[in-house]
């Protein structure tokens, strides 16, 4: 059931197009994450949802009602800000309740509700403290408590964890997930951290330059990026991308560049680029974890040779930077591989995990098929009723 | 960036909130200021019963009056002396305050207290301390120098006394701003110079003064305004403009022309001249702070 | 580098002396001594005034008598009672408090409108307020005096407070401060639809305590120290403020001798309230000035 619907939502600041026509449907109870580099329009979009930013064009509806012109307080949303937005002169409890009473003097009693929310978040002992007596994590909890107390239709969270240290961030992530599992309130969450996006979202919308590049569940986003931007943005270290020529070798299509030629495996015959792509240029993509170093004896397949430049031990893996035909290629190798800079190694690619993008950056080929691909060739920019989300 | 930072949009409410301030400003500031300008073209008739348009006669009278020219000259000289004197002394004290590591906050309060000093009180106290016959300070100064410091009869001496009182009174205000400006100089600059062993005086001249130049300009303007407008009690309580008009500042002459001699038109013309002086000063301040805006933050 | 070339031409002994002087000058002791000396010198007239305020007229006339005098506090008593200084002090206090309260209230309201309301000609209104900095009292003194007479305000509290309860500086300072409040705090209130007065009373004012204190100190000292305007507009001695009241003391004489001890006592009394306010609230004052400078 669609809860939030964005139709060609657009925001211009003077001549600057911050958000450039976003179409999106968010299901009731869904946890949707906006992720993208800074300036991609993710926060602006969230602020349009909240009513803190006017909508230049397009429509926004919440629960079937168009709310473009509704002031923020009539939208029944609650927002958690990056800097927590706590009033320094009020205690935690006062911060949570301030604004619930509209008038200057009428202050109704919210003690019970506050106690309940505080219990949930484990901040019962902190209610009488002022923000400056709270740690970053505690402030964040109060800010979340503030939002919970309002029992809104929609939670909006704007980079709520980015001011916390790494360890706390991971803890809060888990807590947010549990909270969402209990409450099942529709949530829109903005972050620039792709790990956070992947771990939290039922679906993740990747934004770039004011547009949605792709909206999908995290694993699908990772396995089947629809654009080169998504391919490079999701996953660390980023996917290797190599400019290539596409050629017909007779038995198969091959991609080639200096010192490197690879036949594209025929994944159920569906996704191989059509003959029309032959002769054109494109970008070949493979993730570092889908490349392996082949030990000397097992070289049966036509090996790809690359020279090692630098090695970075990551602990659970060894990241090897190689040069392949003048381009850099990163390989996530076994942690204790004996690889030295200057050495030439043979590489093998996981044939299930190869990607090809055309010059416009759109995916034209994935070497394997999405599991239940009932979406056909649907344009990712169309509003999509979520399929694999719940 | 956001176009919605202003949460309220009722023009009526905004108007109601602004009305009290605007009414006071229009009634007691704008209207009298405009009226001053108008009056400067009129001459009040006997006992203020009527007004007669006289064109620029009042201005001509000012321009041709030796007394007024003398007053203008004295005022400009007074302002220059007050500005230089105040800045020199307060810069000296402020720099020491900035350099002192231990007990800085205690020293600060002891140095800025003259900010609370009313000009009339300063004038009264120094009138006695510097009194030609009874003043203890004068007594020891005379003993030390062998001179006779009778500023009741010597114009230049009286002028000097007024400058001293004005500087004394202005110290607090200047020190507050100078210390703040010095503390705003990035600490890394001080530290890197200290590593190089740069001396105190050299640091002041080569590093700090250029960096706090916006504040210095601001203080030059504020001290000038004080010298032109705030020094009235000094003249009124200490010298009454004498001896020989040596301390007849514009503000004092204006007061006497208006309220002792009832020459309202002429006084208004003098006010208008003063307005010209403030305008120029404010303009200088604005231009300079604009040019140095990039130093901030 | 530069010192090398400077000293190269000097003889060795003079160079050594110079270095020693330089080192002393750059040492901490020098700073403490110089600073203490400067502060003492600045405070000297006041200290002398306090001493002499305890002396009888004859003692004062022995110029070099630096001991606490025989008059004790009697000069203070005489000034406060016989010379009406109590009345003047009360008048000054009432005037200053009215100006502080009025100016702070009016300026808070104006700043609320300027920062949190969208209305036509915002910039023009702000400029209109700021431009009043160009017209200090002496620029408009004649018509203002006539206006007070026409309004029937002469000799009243209204005449010495009314023209001062609105101020470009205070509006400017509050506006600056409001603009420095994080946007998200304002948006937080917007999400809940908090009304303007509620926002002012429950958010802005509590968050501006330091600034309000700073503006109050500046205003109080400024108001208390007024001299020219009360001198002109108040002719009834019993309505006069203490700064002008000191002038009346100057006429005090005893068998042909000016009672300087008494005058000094009056000067000290007239200085005490602003000095006390400064000492008590110098912290917010300094913070406020730090903003004004920008």
């Amino acid at each position: 059931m669609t809860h939030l619907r964005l139709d060609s939502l657009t925001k211009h600041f003077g001549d600057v197009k911050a958000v450039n026509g976003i179409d999106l449907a968010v299901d009731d109870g869904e946890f949707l994450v906006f992720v993208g580099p800074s300036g991609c329009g993710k926060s602006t979009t969230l602020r349009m949802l909240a009513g803190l930013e006017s909508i230049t064009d397009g429509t926004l509806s919440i629960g079937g009602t168009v709310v473009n012109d509704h002031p923020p307080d009539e939208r029944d949303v609650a927002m958690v800000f990056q800097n927590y937005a706590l009033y320094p002169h009020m205690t935690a409890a006062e911060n949570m309740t301030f604004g619930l009473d509209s008038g200057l003097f009428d202050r109704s009693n919210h003690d019970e509700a506050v106690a309940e929310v505080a219990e949930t978040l484990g901040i019962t002992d902190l209610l009488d403290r002022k923000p400056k007596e709270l740690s970053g994590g505690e402030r964040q909890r109060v800010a979340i408590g503030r939002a919970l107390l309002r029992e809104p239709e929609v939670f909006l969270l704007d980079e709520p964890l980015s001011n916390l240290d790494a360890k706390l961030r991971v803890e809060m992530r888990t807590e947010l997930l549990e909270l969402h599992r209990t409450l099942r309130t529709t949530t829109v969450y903005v972050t620039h951290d792709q790990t956070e996006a992947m771990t939290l979202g039922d679906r993740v919308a990747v934004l770039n330059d004011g547009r949605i590049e792709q909206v999908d569940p995290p694993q699908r986003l990772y396995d089947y990026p629809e654009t080169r931007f998504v391919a490079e943005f999701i996953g660390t270290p980023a996917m290797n991308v190599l400019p290539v020529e596409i050629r017909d070798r007779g038995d198969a299509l091959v991609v080639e560049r200096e010192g490197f030629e690879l036949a594209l495996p025929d994944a159920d015959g569906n996704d191989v680029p059509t003959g029309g792509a032959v002769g054109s240029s494109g970008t070949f993509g493979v993730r570092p974890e889908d490349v392996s170093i082949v030990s000397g004896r097992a070289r049966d397949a036509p090996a790809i040779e690359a020279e090692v430049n630098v090695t970075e031990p990551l602990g659970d893996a060894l990241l090897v930077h190689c040069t392949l035909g003048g381009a850099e290629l990163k390989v996530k190798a076994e942690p204790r591989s004996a690889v030295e800079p200057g050495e030439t190694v043979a590489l093998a690619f996981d044939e299930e995990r190869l990607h090809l993008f055309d010059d416009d950056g759109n995916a034209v080929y994935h070497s394997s098929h999405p599991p239940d691909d009932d979406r056909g060739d649907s344009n990712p920019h169309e509003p999509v009723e979520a399929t694999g989300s719940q | 960036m956001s176009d919605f930072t202003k949460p309220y949009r009722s023009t009526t409410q905004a108007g109601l909130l602004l009305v009290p301030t605007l009414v006071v400003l229009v009634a007691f500031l704008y209207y009298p200021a405009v009226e001053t300008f108008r009056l400067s073209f009129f001459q009040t008739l006997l006992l203020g019963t009527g007004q007669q348009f006289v064109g620029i006669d009042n201005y001509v009278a000012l321009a041709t009056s030796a007394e007024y020219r003398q007053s203008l000259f004295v005022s400009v000289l007074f302002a220059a002396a007050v500005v230089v004197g105040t800045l020199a002394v307060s810069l000296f004290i402020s720099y020491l305050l900035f350099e002192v590591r231990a007990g800085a906050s205690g020293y600060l309060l002891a140095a800025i207290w003259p900010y609370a000093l009313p000009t009339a009180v300063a004038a009264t106290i120094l009138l006695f301390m510097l009194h030609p016959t009874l003043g203890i300070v004068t007594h020891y100064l005379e003993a030390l120098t062998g001179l006779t410091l009778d500023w009741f009869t010597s114009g230049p001496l009286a002028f000097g006394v007024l400058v001293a009182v004005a500087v004394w009174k202005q110290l607090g205000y200047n020190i507050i701003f100078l210390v703040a400006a010095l503390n705003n100089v990035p600490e890394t600059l001080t530290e890197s110079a200290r590593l190089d062993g740069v001396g105190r005086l050299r640091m002041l001249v080569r590093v700090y003064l250029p960096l706090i130049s916006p504040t210095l300009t601001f203080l030059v303007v504020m001290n000038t305004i004080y010298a032109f407008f705030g020094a009235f009690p000094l003249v009124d309580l200490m010298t009454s403009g004498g001896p020989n008009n040596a301390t007849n500042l514009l503000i004092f002459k204006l007061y006497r022309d208006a309220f002792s001699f009832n020459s309202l038109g002429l006084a208004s013309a003098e006010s208008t001249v003063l307005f010209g002086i403030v305008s120029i000063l404010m303009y200088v301040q604005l231009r300079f702070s604009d040019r140095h805006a990039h130093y901030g933050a | 580098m530069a010192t090398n070339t400077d000293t190269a031409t000097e003889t060795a002994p003079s160079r050594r002396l110079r270095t020693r002087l330089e080192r002393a000058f750059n040492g901490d002791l020098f700073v403490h001594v110089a600073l203490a000396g400067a502060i003492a010198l600045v405070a000297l007239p006041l200290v002398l005034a306090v001493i002499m305020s305890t002396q009888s007229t004859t003692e004062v006339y022995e110029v070099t008598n630096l001991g606490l005098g025989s008059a004790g506090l009697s000069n203070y008593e005489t000034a406060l009672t016989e010379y009406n200084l109590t009345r003047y002090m009360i008048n000054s206090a009432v005037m200053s408090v009215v100006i502080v309260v009025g100016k702070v209230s009016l300026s808070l309201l104006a700043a609320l409108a300027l920062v949190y309301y969208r209305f036509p000609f915002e910039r023009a209104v702000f400029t209109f307020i700021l431009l009043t900095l160009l017209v200090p009292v002496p620029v408009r003194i004649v018509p203002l005096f006539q206006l007070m007479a026409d309004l029937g305000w002469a000799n009243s509290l209204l005449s010495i407070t009314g023209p001062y309860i609105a101020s470009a500086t205070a509006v400017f300072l509050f506006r600056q401060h409001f603009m420095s409040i994080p946007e998200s705090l304002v948006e937080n209130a917007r999400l809940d639809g908090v009304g303007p007065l509620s926002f002012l009373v429950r958010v802005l004012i509590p968050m501006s305590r330091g600034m309000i204190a700073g503006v109050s100190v500046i205003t109080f000292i400024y108001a208390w120290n007024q001299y020219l305007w009360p001198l002109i507009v108040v002719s009834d001695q019993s309505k006069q403020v203490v700064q002008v009241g000191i002038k009346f003391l100057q006429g005090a004489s005893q068998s042909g001798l000016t009672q300087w001890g008494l005058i000094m006592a009056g000067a000290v009394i007239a200085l005490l309230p602003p000095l006390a306010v400064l000492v008590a609230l110098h912290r917010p004052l300094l913070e406020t000035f730090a903003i004004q400078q920008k």
Side-chain angles (χ1 to χ4, degrees):
Chain A
M1 199 179 68
T2 301
H3 191 188
L4 272 177
R5 181 179 281 277
L6 289 65
D7 282 312
S8 324
L9 208 62
T10 303
K11 176 71 195 179
H12 295 175
F13 291 107
D15 289 339
V16 182
K17 295 175 178 171
V19 176
N20 223 338
I22 284 191
D23 295 309
L24 182 70
V26 183
D27 279 354
D28 206 355
E30 185 175 4
F31 198 121
L32 185 104
V33 179
F34 283 132
V35 69
S38 59
C40 71
K42 55 189 192 300
S43 277
T44 308
T45 308
L46 190 79
R47 292 166 57 80
M48 283 196 279
L49 298 186
L52 295 174
E53 214 71 71
S54 66
I55 294 169
T56 309
D57 207 358
T59 55
L60 166 70
S61 50
I62 300 177
T65 319
V66 176
V67 295
N68 278 35
D69 297 322
H70 288 207
D73 54 305
E74 286 171 25
R75 296 189 183 194
D76 204 4
V77 298
M79 185 153 164
V80 177
F81 294 86
Q82 177 176 0
N83 62 3
Y84 320 133
L86 298 181
Y87 299 105
H89 59 287
M90 297 184 188
T91 64
E94 284 166 348
N95 259 296
M96 286 161 69
T97 53
F98 175 68
L100 283 179
D101 315 309
S102 44
L104 189 49
F105 299 108
D106 96 87
R107 296 188 193 186
S108 20
N109 191 354
H110 302 285
D111 291 354
E112 222 168 283
V114 170
E116 201 176 306
V117 167
E119 179 77 45
T120 315
L121 292 166
I123 51 171
T124 309
D125 297 339
L126 310 177
L127 286 178
D128 291 330
R129 298 208 195 152
K130 296 205 169 157
K132 65 163 185 275
E133 301 162 323
L134 299 173
S135 71
E138 289 166 345
R139 285 180 208 177
Q140 188 53 272
R141 274 167 222 267
V142 175
I144 291 169
R146 202 181 167 281
L148 288 184
L149 193 64
R150 279 151 180 75
E151 297 181 348
E153 282 279 303
V154 184
F155 280 125
L156 305 172
L157 296 99
D158 190 1
E159 309 227 12
L161 304 186
S162 57
N163 283 4
L164 301 179
D165 64 48
K167 185 167 169 287
L168 204 53
R169 207 179 307 160
V170 175
E171 279 174 30
M172 284 301 288
R173 221 151 66 188
T174 322
E175 281 192 39
L176 280 177
L177 270 181
E178 278 168 14
L179 209 56
H180 182 248
R181 203 160 295 143
T182 327
L183 297 170
R184 283 276 155 218
T185 307
T186 310
T187 303
V188 182
Y189 187 105
V190 163
T191 179
H192 65 272
D193 177 349
Q194 52 100 10
T195 315
E196 209 170 286
M198 299 285 278
T199 50
L200 282 172
D202 290 327
R203 282 190 304 154
V204 175
V206 182
L207 269 76
N208 180 34
D209 241 352
R211 291 178 194 281
I212 291 190
E213 295 270 335
Q214 185 175 355
V215 195
D216 266 318
Q219 194 60 49
R220 185 167 176 133
L221 211 55
Y222 179 83
D223 288 341
Y224 305 103
E226 279 167 8
T227 66
R228 190 179 148 182
F229 178 84
V230 174
E232 289 186 85
F233 190 79
I234 300 291
T236 38
M239 183 186 280
N240 295 301
V241 287
L242 306 166
V244 290
E245 295 291 329
I246 303 166
R247 199 164 55 76
D248 192 348
R249 203 176 59 182
D251 57 336
L253 288 179
V254 295
V255 292
E256 65 168 15
R257 59 175 287 121
E258 189 198 337
F260 156 67
E261 183 184 281
L262 185 76
L264 297 177
D266 182 356
D268 304 334
N270 280 339
D271 262 3
V272 178
T274 57
V278 172
S280 65
S281 59
T283 309
F284 169 74
V286 61
R287 293 194 182 277
E289 48 272 45
D290 297 330
V291 189
S292 51
I293 296 176
V294 193
S295 61
R297 265 158 276 154
R299 283 186 189 174
D300 45 348
I304 295 159
E305 307 254 308
E307 190 185 334
V308 176
N309 294 329
V310 186
T311 60
E312 284 178 44
L314 301 177
D316 60 340
L318 182 73
L319 189 63
V320 182
H321 295 255
C322 314
T323 311
L324 175 64
E328 173 167 297
L329 187 81
K330 292 183 292 285
V331 178
K332 222 171 179 179
E334 287 300 309
R336 280 159 285 271
S337 312
V339 180
E340 294 298 327
E343 195 182 320
T344 301
V345 290
L347 302 176
F349 297 150
D350 183 342
E351 301 221 324
E352 300 273 283
R353 298 267 165 256
L354 306 180
H355 314 272
L356 193 60
F357 305 94
D358 65 18
D359 281 344
D360 295 331
N362 293 317
V364 289
Y365 166 84
H366 298 297
S367 63
S368 73
H369 242 318
D372 49 346
D373 192 358
D374 51 355
R375 297 176 43 212
D377 288 330
S378 77
N379 183 338
H381 292 236
E382 296 259 300
V384 174
E385 300 296 319
T387 44
S389 63
Q390 301 286 313
Chain B
M1 194 66 166
S2 170
D3 53 1
F4 253 157
T5 39
K6 299 186 169 220
Y8 308 116
R9 26 201 48 221
S10 155
T11 306
T12 322
Q13 284 177 19
L16 285 174
L17 293 171
L18 284 163
V19 150
T21 294
L22 293 180
V23 163
V24 172
L25 293 182
V26 168
F28 300 131
L29 285 96
Y30 274 106
Y31 162 73
V34 172
E35 185 67 6
T36 296
F37 188 64
R38 191 188 68 80
L39 274 179
S40 71
F41 298 105
F42 285 83
Q43 194 169 30
T44 9
L45 301 176
L46 264 183
L47 301 170
T49 47
Q51 296 168 345
Q52 185 189 355
F53 182 76
V54 293
I56 60 164
D57 279 8
N58 287 324
Y59 293 96
V60 172
L62 288 182
T64 53
S65 150
E67 193 198 344
Y68 187 74
R69 283 207 303 260
Q70 148 100 355
S71 178
L72 183 63
F73 172 73
V74 169
S75 292
V76 172
L77 202 63
F78 180 71
V82 169
V83 166
V84 172
T86 308
L87 280 180
V89 179
S90 48
L91 199 57
F92 175 72
I93 296 179
S94 304
Y95 193 46
L96 292 173
L97 279 169
F98 173 68
E99 286 284 291
V100 76
R101 316 270 152 213
S105 58
Y107 278 129
L108 183 63
L109 195 52
I112 64 170
W113 72 267
Y115 173 66
L117 183 63
T119 305
V121 170
T124 307
I125 290 179
L126 285 192
L127 173 63
F128 177 48
M129 297 306 152
L130 299 173
H131 196 283
T133 51
L134 297 172
I136 181 160
V137 176
T138 315
H139 176 86
Y140 285 113
L141 277 180
E142 285 181 342
L144 217 63
T145 59
L147 301 170
T148 311
L149 302 173
D150 185 5
W151 55 274
F152 282 6
T153 54
S154 154
L157 276 181
F159 181 86
V161 165
L162 286 202
V163 171
V165 187
V167 169
W168 188 40
K169 191 260 165 311
Q170 279 297 86
L171 282 181
Y173 185 81
N174 281 258
I175 291 172
I176 290 173
F177 279 91
L178 287 173
V179 169
L182 286 168
N183 283 328
N184 271 344
V185 173
E187 202 153 337
T188 46
L189 290 182
T190 311
E191 283 166 353
S192 74
R194 183 151 294 144
L195 289 178
D196 291 343
V198 179
R200 217 163 237 150
L201 202 58
R202 188 178 294 267
M203 273 305 278
L204 178 64
V205 175
R206 300 289 296 278
V207 179
Y208 296 125
L209 283 188
L211 281 172
I212 65 168
S213 60
T215 300
L216 292 174
T217 317
F218 171 77
L219 289 174
V220 166
V221 171
M222 296 317 280
N223 290 330
T224 312
I225 287 177
Y226 175 77
F228 272 102
F229 296 91
F232 174 80
L234 303 180
V235 186
D236 191 44
L237 290 169
M238 299 181 85
T239 65
S240 297
N244 288 325
N245 285 337
T247 60
N248 191 14
L249 301 181
L250 286 177
I251 180 82
F252 188 71
K253 177 164 165 45
L254 160 64
Y255 165 78
R256 273 213 296 216
D257 284 342
F259 300 100
S260 302
F261 308 135
N262 251 333
S263 311
L264 299 185
L266 191 68
S268 295
E270 291 175 44
S271 282
T272 309
V273 173
L274 283 180
F275 170 77
I277 292 169
V278 200
S279 305
I280 292 167
L281 288 171
M282 288 289 178
Y283 179 74
V284 168
Q285 162 69 14
L286 209 64
R287 281 304 298 271
F288 207 87
S289 61
D290 269 0
R291 200 158 7 119
H292 282 267
H294 59 275
Y295 271 145
Chain C
M1 293 300 226
T3 40
N4 282 347
T5 53
D6 285 350
T7 49
T9 52
E10 290 176 48
T11 58
S14 88
R15 192 185 318 154
R16 222 172 299 142
L17 177 69
R18 220 185 108 123
T19 325
R20 210 179 304 157
L21 279 176
E22 238 169 57
R23 213 166 278 153
F25 175 68
N26 288 323
D28 274 355
L29 186 65
F30 169 81
V31 178
H32 281 282
V33 171
L35 191 52
I39 285 173
L41 203 61
V42 170
L44 183 67
L46 183 61
V47 174
L48 290 174
V50 171
I51 291 172
M52 310 229 169
S53 69
T54 64
Q55 296 182 346
S56 67
T57 307
T58 30
E59 285 164 336
V60 166
Y61 273 71
E62 305 160 13
V63 177
T64 53
N65 183 344
L66 273 177
L68 285 179
S70 61
L73 292 178
S74 71
N75 279 328
Y76 289 87
E77 211 184 313
T78 314
L80 284 171
T81 54
E82 277 174 46
Y83 289 89
N84 264 334
L85 228 56
T86 311
R87 173 106 302 254
Y88 305 148
M89 288 290 280
I90 293 172
N91 292 343
S92 275
V94 172
M95 167 188 76
S96 304
V97 170
V98 169
I99 291 178
V100 168
V101 172
K103 189 184 273 192
V104 167
S105 316
L106 260 57
S107 303
L108 279 173
L109 295 180
L112 172 68
L114 287 171
V115 177
Y116 296 107
Y117 274 87
R118 193 109 65 94
F119 57 93
F121 309 115
E122 278 169 47
R123 281 239 46 107
V125 170
F126 183 54
T127 311
F128 183 81
I129 293 174
L130 275 195
L131 276 180
T132 57
L133 287 175
L134 292 176
V135 288
V137 169
V139 166
R140 53 198 155 90
I141 197 156
V142 171
L144 194 58
F145 175 72
Q146 286 177 334
L147 181 64
M148 291 300 139
D150 293 345
L151 289 171
W153 284 12
N155 270 323
S156 75
L157 181 65
L158 284 172
S159 66
I160 47 175
T161 54
Y164 291 99
I165 61 167
S167 128
T169 318
V171 171
F172 174 80
L173 286 171
F174 285 137
R175 177 178 172 271
Q176 291 298 97
H177 182 70
F178 287 176
M179 293 196 307
S180 74
I181 290 177
E183 229 167 80
S184 60
L185 290 183
V186 182
E187 291 175 339
N188 217 343
R190 280 194 68 205
L191 288 170
D192 289 326
V194 176
L197 285 183
S198 186
F199 188 59
L200 177 70
V201 173
R202 294 186 60 189
V203 176
L204 291 180
I205 291 180
M207 287 190 72
S208 312
R209 275 189 213 132
M211 176 59 74
I212 291 172
V215 170
S216 300
V217 180
I218 297 172
T219 307
F220 182 87
I221 291 176
Y222 175 77
W224 185 273
N225 297 357
Q226 282 303 318
Y227 180 88
L228 175 59
W229 180 242
L231 176 71
I232 289 168
V233 81
V234 177
S235 54
D236 179 347
Q237 269 211 20
S238 70
K239 304 263 172 67
Q240 198 45 274
V241 298
V242 73
Q243 298 308 320
V244 183
I246 299 176
K247 184 182 174 143
F248 302 150
L249 281 185
Q250 284 193 8
S253 63
Q254 201 177 35
S255 47
L257 300 179
T258 308
Q259 292 181 286
W260 282 108
L262 181 74
I263 297 172
M264 288 303 109
V268 171
I269 292 171
L271 164 65
L272 283 182
L275 196 58
V277 168
L278 176 74
V279 171
L281 294 172
H282 67 281
R283 260 168 236 287
L285 173 84
L286 295 177
E287 281 161 27
T288 303
F289 271 139
I291 288 172
Q292 188 178 26
Q293 199 176 7
K294 287 175 186 154

